[in-house]
Amino acid sequence: MSTTGRPSRRLVLGAGAAGLLGVGALAACSDAPPPAPAATPSAAATPTTSTAPRPAYVGDQRGVALCAALSALAASLYSGAVLAANDGRLGQVPAVVTSFLSGAGAQHTEHAAAWNALLTAAGRPAVTGSPLSVETERRATLGRAAAPTDLLSFAVDVEASVGATVLARAGEFTDPGAAALAATVGPVAAMHGATVAFLLGRPAGIAPGPAGAALGLDALTT
């Protein structure tokens, strides 16, 4: 990554001290008021230039950052779902449901770390948290869950969105590492989706709702 040096500042000073002393000596022998001393030129102002801040992620990096943020959000949502399942407000939640949420969440955490590793290897900052425009809405949807089936239906959309987003980005990646990771993460999201469909008694591959659509690069808010 290249860096641009800041322009140096130059102070341009102009003054004639000896000349000012001579004028003062002549004024002492005359009735005329002494002339005002010559103004000392001020330091020359250094011209300033403004440049637009460089985006944190460009090219493939932006797609990688989007996938990192989405994996992190999925992991966080599943952690919240497990807490909701354990606090009793959703009734009796089968152990298989919490087991799925915990296991899938752990894999999403690993995926977020893998995406971030690509960014840091390229000299860019890792994504912190889940800076996505859909985060507030997704958390609100989880907060409305009232039964174990609500958690599973929510997971269907989460996995569909992760899988569709990774698939869409995979078709754009030119970096071999990013393409290879997408080829790993996509099938895992598909496996999670098939597992949730089985737990719900739905046919595998059922079309998800709007929340299961792929996210575009504009969903990334950093």
Side-chain angles (χ1 to χ4, degrees):
M1 177 181 65
S2 63
T3 57
T4 304
R6 296 179 56 190
S8 60
R9 296 176 177 270
R10 296 182 177 179
L11 298 181
V12 181
L13 302 177
L20 290 177
L21 290 174
V23 171
L26 292 174
C29 302
S30 172
D31 293 335
T40 302
S42 60
T46 303
T48 58
T49 57
S50 59
T51 57
R54 180 185 177 187
Y57 309 108
V58 295
D60 279 358
Q61 296 167 1
R62 193 153 186 83
V64 170
L66 173 66
C67 292
L70 185 53
S71 289
L73 178 59
S76 178
L77 291 172
Y78 282 174
S79 178
V82 171
L83 290 176
N86 291 336
D87 70 8
R89 66 183 179 87
L90 301 182
Q92 186 66 35
V93 179
V96 66
V97 174
T98 55
S99 178
F100 164 78
L101 294 171
S102 297
Q107 287 185 308
H108 284 300
T109 297
E110 293 174 358
H111 294 163
W115 289 116
N116 274 325
L118 291 178
L119 294 174
T120 56
R124 307 308 301 156
V127 174
T128 302
S130 46
L132 296 168
S133 59
V134 300
E135 178 179 7
T136 299
E137 180 271 329
R138 298 285 167 86
R139 294 193 185 282
T141 300
L142 176 60
R144 291 191 292 270
T149 52
D150 293 336
L151 295 181
L152 293 175
S153 295
F154 177 71
V156 168
D157 287 338
V158 169
E159 297 301 337
S161 181
V162 171
T165 300
V166 169
L167 181 61
R169 302 285 75 79
E172 302 170 353
F173 287 143
T174 59
D175 177 72
L181 183 55
T184 299
V185 174
V188 174
M191 178 187 68
H192 289 168
T195 301
V196 176
F198 173 79
L199 294 175
L200 283 170
R202 296 181 182 179
I206 189 171
L215 298 184
L217 293 176
D218 58 347
L220 187 67
T221 60
T222 186

